[in-house]
Amino acid sequence: MEERLKSQLAFALEIDKVKNIFRQTHLSSHGRNENDAEHSWHMAVMAYLLREYANEEVDIAKVMLMCLLHDIVEIDAGDTYAYDEEGLKTQKAREDAAKERIFSILPEEQKVEFTALFDEFEAYETAESKFVHAIDNLQPLLLNDSNNGGDWLEHQVTAGQVYKRQGKTKLGSEKLFEITDEIIRKNIEKGNLRE
């Protein structure tokens, strides 16, 4: 087998491991914890579906690929819960090391392409990355809302913490932030989020 194809297939097999990285968020209707692959797939479909609500016109193919790639680093770095202050302190270093190892499996130009997409997502500067972050915030919010705030209750998350995390949603989509705000307020009223 030629070296290029061998590397590409090795990468394809490596990223299968993302199916074993479980998140704090549960599937809708009180299902089990979702894994990173499910989260990324769900985000990619949501991004395509909701693209009309992006603040700016976006390259939807790039957005969808960014959705699919953004959590691959968690194969090595693990999932850092959004409200885990200690874990967040070391997240970037862990993810940078993972990015280098995992994307280095690829042929050089694809390593450069995927690394650039990951770095663009992390930099939060382009219309595409801002929209992906809006979807990345909305997706678990929808699931948690469907589960009557179970994950927030379990981790004793406050409304202030959720608003802080969701605050950047409006940079990618003002409309989706309006929906986010409605969901948060509803969960405060129901007692699922402490003020």
Side-chain angles (χ1 to χ4, degrees):
M1 185 185 315
E2 63 186 62
E3 211 48 47
R4 177 179 175 81
L5 180 55
K6 187 176 178 182
S7 297
Q8 291 166 324
L9 293 177
F11 179 79
L13 191 56
E14 181 67 19
I15 64 171
D16 182 66
K17 293 175 182 174
V18 83
K19 297 172 187 173
N20 292 313
I21 307 302
F22 286 89
R23 299 165 44 83
Q24 293 298 317
T25 308
H26 286 77
L27 301 177
S28 60
S29 303
H30 305 282
R32 61 166 169 74
N33 292 68
E34 80 172 337
N35 67 44
D36 273 353
E38 293 163 333
H39 166 66
S40 298
W41 161 83
H42 200 184
M43 277 181 60
V45 175
M46 286 175 63
Y48 187 84
L49 179 69
L50 303 173
R51 68 190 183 280
E52 67 195 83
Y53 305 111
N55 288 344
E56 303 171 61
E57 191 169 322
V58 294
D59 175 343
I60 196 60
K62 184 178 189 180
V63 164
M64 293 174 74
L65 186 54
M66 212 177 276
C67 288
L68 294 170
L69 291 177
H70 83 290
D71 275 346
I72 284 176
V73 295
E74 293 184 3
I75 291 168
D76 289 357
D79 176 61
T80 303
Y81 185 49
Y83 306 107
D84 175 3
E85 295 300 323
E86 285 304 307
L88 291 170
K89 291 176 185 175
T90 62
Q91 181 180 16
K92 182 172 177 8
R94 288 181 285 117
E95 290 187 352
D96 283 348
K99 171 183 67 173
E100 179 58 29
R101 185 195 72 78
I102 296 166
F103 291 154
S104 290
I105 296 169
L106 288 163
E108 186 60 28
E109 83 280 0
Q110 288 183 319
K111 173 191 175 184
V112 168
E113 176 189 6
F114 282 19
T115 299
L117 276 171
F118 181 84
D119 290 344
E120 181 179 338
F121 170 74
E122 290 293 311
Y124 218 125
E125 295 171 350
T126 63
E128 286 80 10
S129 65
K130 290 173 186 175
F131 187 57
V132 173
H133 275 281
I135 298 297
D136 195 22
N137 287 342
L138 179 62
Q139 189 267 350
L141 187 90
L142 287 176
L143 291 180
N144 206 14
D145 182 53
S146 80
N147 289 318
N148 206 28
D151 297 321
W152 292 320
L153 289 165
E154 179 183 339
H155 295 282
Q156 300 180 338
V157 175
T158 67
Q161 288 174 294
V162 178
Y163 271 119
K164 181 180 176 186
R165 175 165 177 79
Q166 296 289 337
K168 289 186 176 180
T169 296
K170 65 180 88 169
L171 299 176
S173 174
E174 292 279 349
K175 183 64 177 176
L176 296 182
F177 182 75
E178 289 174 23
I179 303 306
T180 295
D181 187 46
E182 287 177 24
I183 291 170
I184 294 170
R185 282 189 281 113
K186 177 180 76 175
N187 278 277
I188 292 169
E189 290 170 17
K190 290 169 75 176
N192 297 334
L193 280 168
R194 297 178 295 125
E195 291 199 67

